[in-house]
Amino acid sequence: MNPQAPVYVRRSDDAWLTVVYYHFYAWRGRRPFWAGLFTLIGGLPIAYFPYADFRLGNVTLAMATTAGSGSLIIGVLLVTLGLALWFQQGIRVFAGVASILLALVSLPVSNLGGFFIGFTFALIGGGLALAWAPGSPVDETDAAPAGDTGKAEAMAGGPQGIPAPRETETAYASETTAHADGGRNSAG
């Protein structure tokens, strides 16, 4: 979410579809939407392929395996984690790690992770969930004007922009045996 983006204010002549779009856009910006979508989409092929039948005329190809229940559990868990990412942003780290682990477990259990389709989507969704962080709005009082260079000069500290030690810094961060006894090391 971009905290500096302008806030949408509804006008009287806006169409209802425009209003719905902007409300969805604002809702999507406050949560890991794409992580939830990828995780949700990743669970669908993992759960579907073990139960799918492919018919060519009178010939039926069944991709059912003995691990059909495991595939269904993994697929349902991934769909649930995807929905949880949308509605419970606080569990994003848990949901991200869990979706990555479920994607890895789906490789041997569920027809190579839904023929690598569900595996890939769940892996990307878990990574996006781990990478997402909620935005924080910027206070307008904290923002400095564009022409203000006082902060840059204060950071430089020295002449001609060369960094210098601050008043609170000392030559040594801590008193160790190498510095305590007149510079001689007492270790040996």
Side-chain angles (χ1 to χ4, degrees):
M1 176 177 154
N2 184 358
Q4 297 172 348
V7 176
Y8 173 71
V9 178
R10 183 176 183 199
R11 294 182 294 235
S12 61
D13 60 344
D14 281 345
W16 67 272
L17 196 57
T18 304
V19 173
V20 168
Y21 170 74
Y22 281 114
H23 280 288
F24 172 72
Y25 185 76
W27 177 82
R28 187 187 76 189
R30 293 187 300 266
R31 62 199 73 245
F33 176 77
W34 293 108
L37 184 67
F38 275 97
T39 304
L40 191 137
I41 290 173
L44 296 177
I46 290 174
Y48 174 75
F49 284 136
Y51 297 102
D53 290 340
F54 184 65
R55 299 176 193 267
L56 291 170
N58 292 335
V59 177
T60 301
L61 297 173
M63 292 181 268
T65 62
T66 58
S69 61
S71 301
L72 184 63
I73 290 170
I74 290 171
V76 168
L77 283 174
L78 284 171
V79 169
T80 304
L81 287 171
L83 291 172
L85 282 168
W86 284 349
F87 298 109
Q88 297 291 326
Q89 299 85 26
I91 64 165
R92 66 176 178 84
V93 174
F94 167 75
V97 170
S99 63
I100 289 172
L101 289 175
L102 285 171
L104 291 172
V105 168
S106 74
L107 284 173
V109 171
S110 169
N111 293 336
L112 296 175
F115 299 114
F116 295 109
I117 298 169
F119 167 74
T120 305
F121 276 106
L123 212 58
I124 291 171
L128 287 174
L130 290 174
W132 186 81
S136 59
V138 176
D139 291 337
E140 297 199 17
T141 57
D142 293 341
D148 186 20
T149 59
K151 187 175 182 181
E153 291 173 3
M155 292 294 288
Q160 300 174 350
I162 299 171
R166 290 178 249 153
E167 290 82 23
T168 59
E169 289 181 351
T170 60
Y172 302 107
S174 64
E175 193 70 27
T176 62
T177 57
H179 304 123
D181 195 17
R184 290 185 285 175
N185 190 350
S186 62

